[in-house]
Amino acid sequence: MRLLSLLCLFSTVTFGAVVAPALPDAPAQKEQGLTLHLSAGRRTDTRAARLVALYVPAGQAVSPFLPAGAFAAKWEGEIASDLRAEYTFAADVRGAFKLTINGTLVLEGAGDSTAQTMNKTVQLNKGANLLVAEFESDGKEDASLQLTWWAKDFPAEPVPPAAFQHDVNDRALRDGRRVREGRTIFAQMRCAVCHAGAEVAPELAQTAPLFNEPGAKFRENFLAHWINDPRSIRPHALMPRVFSDDGQSAADLAAYLVSLGKKDDTAPAPENAPLGGALFANFGCIACHTTPDFEGEDEHGRVPLGHVKAKWQPRALREFLKDPAKDFPHTRMPNFRLTDEEAERLTSYLIENAKREFPAAPKGDATKGAALLVSAGCISCHAGAPMVGTPKLADLTWEKGCVAAEARARGKAPDFAFTPEQRDALLAFAAGGFDSLKQDAPIEFAERAIADLRCTACHARDGQQSVWSQLEGDMIVLQSGAPNSDAPEGAPVASTALPALTWLGEKLQPAWMEQFIAGHVADKPRPWIIGRMPGFASWAHGIAEGLALEHGLPVKVEPVKPDAERAKIGERLLGENGFNCLQCHALGERNATAVFEAPGPNLARTRERLREGYYTRWLLHPLRIDPETKMPRFATDDGKTPLTDVLGGDARAQVDAMWQFLQTVKR
Ligand code: HEC
Ligand code: HEC
Ligand code: HEC
Ligand code: HEC
Ligand code: HEC
């Protein structure tokens, strides 16, 4: 007992030596979203939230910075209304909940082991209305909350992210953001591999590429430049600058690395380049990358490719495009499941158009390079081998080494080129101790991954348009190299109109979503577009789980036992004598009857893909979810449909009957 308390005392003293830098003042700034204050076990934490919703499975922590168990959550911000109008608010809760708008109590209540719903109608002013939502859980069972609303002209829906505004410069929020940034840098830059003393949860840990026959993949002169200064080639590189000499050490390492593996620099056929250029546009490579002949500053911060000819042996580049994660599981470059022909065309396009050249590096000595691989810490990151002789975390002087502001104080440490903000973030994180590395919160994992992996390069989200949809002009130039005019009628077309990411957590069943994001679902839900969702295998599980929980829903979806009688009615409603849904939607093997009209996904996938809540509100009012959709609305504002002889013309009952039927259809 005494030993234990002594140890605790010791560890507080050492970590306490790092002081979080003062946060500068910042003027209030309104942006979309809410501020979420969390507390548990007498500790507090603040982050931004998109929704008034969450699901925390029993035994998990609501935040990486808080202990598991009982917790309280408080959302603050404004809710906007276009007009002065009446809205009904409702909450599904497992825990205790209270909603206050403009200082007036709107909802208050508690739900126990099964969720409980409460609702009340209130008037919102035109413009901003102050909102405070409070939730508490005793931590003994799963905690959940989903705030929904409806009005005369739209059916019940989760209150959408675009309705909320908050001050992003709120001090507690900035504190929470900064300590999170420090934590992410700490995990991504693998500080704990070289400075022992912290346990990092597997979902936070990230790998660096394996050195698998680098000589068969890369060119020596390029490697010398990359190793000498990675950020001069890729601005977002995670790899630090390890040497500060004239480039000799990097050249030695390059010489050593290319001695491993046999080179194959057979050039791809140049006539395939224009076809590859069209794929570069139509697959959405262009949403994450500037074209290989691009020079200058890119307003979208895309990843440059001008150096790929100087870097890659052509055959290795083709293999890389087909499976980017093969030697680097945590790569941010996704897997497009390219055919050999597609990979060949893209390789040709990249090699033919990449123009960046590099001056000759000093001549390298492979023997010296082999020794540096270990002593310079390359294999610490690249193979997870702990570095010998570096100070432990608890012994670090945080003004020196890797976090030093000036080169002089850096000494023999690698140069991560931290900005002053990143350095402050690391210090703020270190000041709080390293306990938060032991656990992650799935909701935060998903949000980090979506930002880090550039999902919004291709998908709209929360009312923000995608990068891809802003590049149609650049796409036309590339597409003109491979005219599509001889394609048969009904062949897939290039399109940047993709499902928005906004509602994924509420729309899709996590099990299907995980398989799909991983790139493991073979067939395309939308065969009418050329684009395909690329796979992000290392991240799929965490994204699918986190998005469900963020929307206040459990990860496990209970299978529905369809009601035979209602299913029969549902089947009729889908067909010609009903709403004729099958005009636009295929059903299993049965093709849509008017395919070129406005195709929708095959409805035989509904059972494994969709969650019921989303399905219902989509059918009641598709335009409310996607103002651009061609799916017609069948229900009126007061919940009736023209088919008055079926189930009394009650839209919800009819939508449910079709749901029951779709549960009987297997792929
Ligand atoms: C590849 C190994 C490696 C990685 C990864 C690494 N460091 Fe270092 N670090 C070093 C070396 C080498 C030194 C210099 C040690 C010396 O001067 O003896 C150092 C020094 C430091 C020092 C100064 C230590 C002192 O007391 O003088 C700090 C602080 C530091 N590192 C923090 C970090 C942080 C934070 C990260 C993650 C962002 C990190 N390091 C990642 C290798 C590494
Ligand atoms: C979601 C964003 C995204 C999309 C879409 C994407 N990439 Fe990438 N790609 C990246 C990132 C990020 C990297 C940097 C590697 C890393 O972080 O691991 C990369 C790396 C690469 C590289 C290696 C560059 C180097 O320095 O070695 C090539 C080549 C490449 N991508 C080509 C493509 C092609 C061709 C497509 C379309 C089929 C494509 N990418 C689509 C994000 C993307
Ligand atoms: C702090 C961790 C870290 C250290 C130390 C480090 N690297 Fe890296 N390295 C990375 C990461 C991460 C990447 C992937 C690209 C990126 O995002 O920067 C990378 C990429 C590379 C690549 C390109 C691989 C590819 O598939 O494109 C080479 C080659 C390389 N590193 C060599 C080295 C050598 C040699 C050293 C030692 C001088 C070294 N690295 C030190 C993290 C590190
Ligand atoms: C290169 C562009 C691109 C990027 C980047 C991208 N997606 Fe997609 N995504 C697509 C396309 C195209 C589809 C539609 C595929 C289809 O239905 O055939 C899609 C569909 C989806 C779907 C299925 C939605 C539905 O309703 O059927 C999910 C889930 C999804 N993407 C998640 C993500 C996530 C998460 C990320 C980031 C990790 C991401 N996407 C990044 C292109 C992209
Ligand atoms: C005029 C064509 C059209 C008709 C008629 C139509 N839909 Fe749709 N449907 C669409 C389109 C377009 C989408 C959205 C496609 C997308 O997400 O990219 C869609 C989406 C859906 C979805 C979501 C599917 C998924 O897996 O993401 C369901 C469920 C659905 N429709 C059911 C129905 C039902 C039931 C009917 C009849 C009551 C119907 N639709 C009638 C065009 C149509």
Side-chain angles (χ1 to χ4, degrees):
M1 188 60 197
R2 165 164 295 188
L3 181 67
L4 196 71
S5 56
L6 266 177
L7 275 176
C8 293
L9 190 70
F10 179 72
S11 68
T12 5
V13 170
T14 16
F15 290 139
V18 190
V19 182
L23 263 178
D25 290 327
Q29 188 183 329
K30 292 269 168 68
E31 278 177 30
Q32 193 166 302
L34 291 168
T35 301
L36 174 55
H37 301 283
L38 299 163
S39 56
R42 279 181 293 156
R43 298 175 68 173
T44 60
D45 173 41
T46 303
R47 68 167 168 88
R50 298 169 57 231
L51 298 152
V52 181
L54 52 72
Y55 193 108
V56 183
Q60 284 192 15
V62 67
S63 147
F65 299 96
L66 299 177
F71 71 89
K74 182 174 177 188
W75 289 259
E76 285 183 322
E78 292 168 353
I79 182 166
S81 172
D82 297 340
L83 305 165
R84 183 176 170 82
E86 281 195 336
Y87 295 82
T88 305
F89 285 89
D92 265 326
V93 289
R94 255 192 278 182
F97 183 63
K98 200 165 125 183
L99 174 70
T100 317
I101 294 181
N102 295 329
T104 310
L105 185 67
V106 178
L107 298 175
E108 183 167 27
D112 304 330
S113 55
T114 52
Q116 135 125 28
T117 309
M118 44 188 134
N119 74 66
K120 189 169 166 190
T121 305
V122 294
Q123 186 138 72
L124 291 187
N125 301 326
K126 180 174 181 204
N129 296 264
L130 279 185
L131 172 140
V132 179
E134 290 161 274
F135 176 79
E136 259 175 53
S137 163
D138 62 11
K140 295 204 175 81
E141 54 189 357
D142 292 5
S144 73
L145 163 68
Q146 232 192 344
L147 181 69
T148 50
W149 69 350
W150 61 89
K152 269 211 302 290
D153 56 342
F154 65 90
E157 66 181 14
V159 186
F164 298 123
Q165 287 236 314
H166 69 149
D167 173 14
V168 288
N169 283 341
D170 173 89
R171 191 163 277 275
L173 186 59
R174 276 193 293 143
D175 247 326
R177 201 157 54 219
R178 186 170 72 163
V179 80
R180 280 173 171 74
E181 191 194 350
R183 177 173 175 268
T184 303
I185 296 173
F186 190 93
Q188 278 186 340
M189 304 298 190
R190 317 202 80 188
C191 313
V193 179
C194 293
H195 303 289
E199 177 195 330
V200 181
E203 59 270 34
L204 269 175
Q206 290 197 12
T207 57
L210 299 170
F211 293 137
N212 184 8
E213 303 204 356
K217 292 197 212 160
F218 307 129
R219 298 181 190 272
E220 180 173 351
N221 193 50
F222 173 85
L223 283 188
H225 284 275
W226 168 269
I227 296 165
N228 195 44
D229 190 2
R231 277 186 195 78
S232 70
I233 293 163
R234 191 188 296 157
H236 307 280
L238 296 175
M239 167 151 155
R241 185 167 190 200
V242 177
F243 304 110
S244 51
D245 62 11
D246 54 359
Q248 186 59 50
S249 306
D252 293 345
L253 270 158
Y256 172 65
L257 288 173
V258 296
S259 72
L260 311 172
K262 196 164 153 279
K263 83 175 192 191
D264 176 353
D265 56 4
T266 340
E271 62 272 20
N272 281 329
L275 296 167
L279 292 178
F280 195 83
N282 296 345
F283 281 162
C285 313
I286 195 172
C288 289
H289 293 287
T290 44
T291 54
D293 51 1
F294 177 87
E295 282 171 2
E297 280 282 312
D298 175 41
E299 58 174 317
H300 302 294
R302 288 172 288 170
V303 183
L305 293 176
H307 61 277
V308 291
K309 182 178 183 196
K311 173 175 180 179
W312 289 89
Q313 308 281 356
R315 196 180 62 89
L317 176 56
R318 199 181 62 205
E319 295 311 306
F320 166 81
L321 291 177
K322 285 179 66 183
D323 187 5
K326 182 165 165 279
D327 293 325
F328 185 14
H330 285 97
T331 180
R332 285 151 180 74
M333 165 71 188
N335 184 331
F336 282 82
R337 301 178 297 283
L338 300 174
T339 62
D340 285 334
E341 187 178 61
E342 289 164 348
E344 179 67 25
R345 290 175 175 179
L346 282 163
T347 305
S348 172
Y349 167 69
L350 293 172
I351 299 270
E352 287 298 314
N353 291 281
K355 294 284 183 308
R356 187 163 171 196
E357 284 171 3
F358 296 84
K363 187 164 166 35
D365 176 338
T367 318
K368 285 192 185 145
L372 283 171
L373 199 67
V374 180
S375 64
C378 313
I379 60 160
S380 301
C381 281
H382 284 275
M387 201 175 189
V388 184
T390 33
K392 294 203 166 41
L393 274 181
D395 303 331
L396 294 180
T397 310
W398 283 81
E399 294 82 47
K400 300 202 321 200
C402 304
V403 285
E406 289 166 28
R408 265 182 300 130
R410 193 176 308 121
K412 288 180 291 175
D415 177 6
F416 290 89
F418 292 128
T419 62
E421 292 75 25
Q422 289 177 316
R423 197 169 296 118
D424 281 1
L426 271 166
L427 290 177
F429 170 64
F434 302 109
D435 276 356
S436 72
L437 293 167
K438 290 189 197 133
Q439 60 180 6
D440 204 6
I443 297 176
E444 297 192 25
F445 176 95
E447 285 299 324
R448 277 199 318 269
I450 285 171
D452 216 23
L453 300 173
R454 300 170 182 253
C455 306
T456 55
C458 293
H459 291 280
R461 190 179 201 218
D462 296 355
Q464 310 287 312
Q465 61 176 153
S466 72
V467 175
W468 199 6
S469 66
Q470 300 168 48
L471 298 170
E472 309 236 333
D474 299 352
M475 287 175 64
I476 292 171
V477 178
L478 291 171
Q479 287 161 338
S480 64
N484 203 23
S485 54
D486 52 351
E489 193 182 350
V493 295
S495 169
T496 61
L498 305 185
L501 291 187
T502 312
W503 298 112
L504 286 189
E506 185 223 1
K507 173 182 186 180
L508 297 172
Q509 297 185 28
W512 187 87
M513 191 179 359
E514 175 176 341
Q515 290 300 307
F516 190 72
I517 296 174
H520 297 156
V521 174
D523 49 350
K524 278 170 61 63
R526 297 173 186 75
W528 61 90
I529 54 174
I530 294 177
R532 62 178 78 130
M533 166 68 190
F536 296 86
S538 289
W539 322 78
H541 174 77
I543 295 176
E545 178 187 23
L547 285 180
L549 300 177
E550 183 179 33
H551 286 258
L553 296 167
V555 173
K556 192 162 170 2
V557 178
E558 297 301 333
V560 182
K561 269 200 109 189
D563 175 302
E565 212 163 302
R566 278 186 290 160
K568 239 187 157 138
I569 302 175
E571 181 170 16
R572 187 151 69 83
L573 286 169
L574 284 173
E576 264 171 51
N577 299 322
F579 296 110
N580 205 3
C581 315
L582 303 184
Q583 165 198 345
C584 302
H585 291 280
L587 182 69
E589 301 282 281
R590 193 170 175 275
N591 287 331
T593 49
V595 246
F596 310 137
E597 205 54 26
N602 191 319
L603 290 181
R605 292 204 186 84
T606 307
R607 188 170 153 274
E608 58 174 11
R609 258 170 67 82
L610 300 186
R611 300 187 88 129
E612 186 175 0
Y614 178 92
Y615 158 89
T616 303
R617 70 186 183 92
W618 170 262
L619 274 145
L620 291 174
H621 201 340
L623 291 160
R624 175 81 190 162
I625 297 178
D626 176 5
E628 314 266 302
T629 188
K630 300 216 178 80
M631 161 115 172
R633 184 180 183 192
F634 299 96
T636 57
D637 279 349
D638 34 330
K640 298 286 173 200
T641 74
L643 296 181
T644 47
D645 56 333
V646 188
L647 298 168
D650 180 74
R652 275 181 188 274
Q654 293 176 347
V655 165
D656 172 63
M658 291 187 281
W659 175 255
Q660 300 293 328
F661 170 66
L662 291 172
Q663 301 307 308
T664 68
V665 186
K666 304 204 171 111
R667 261 205 310 144

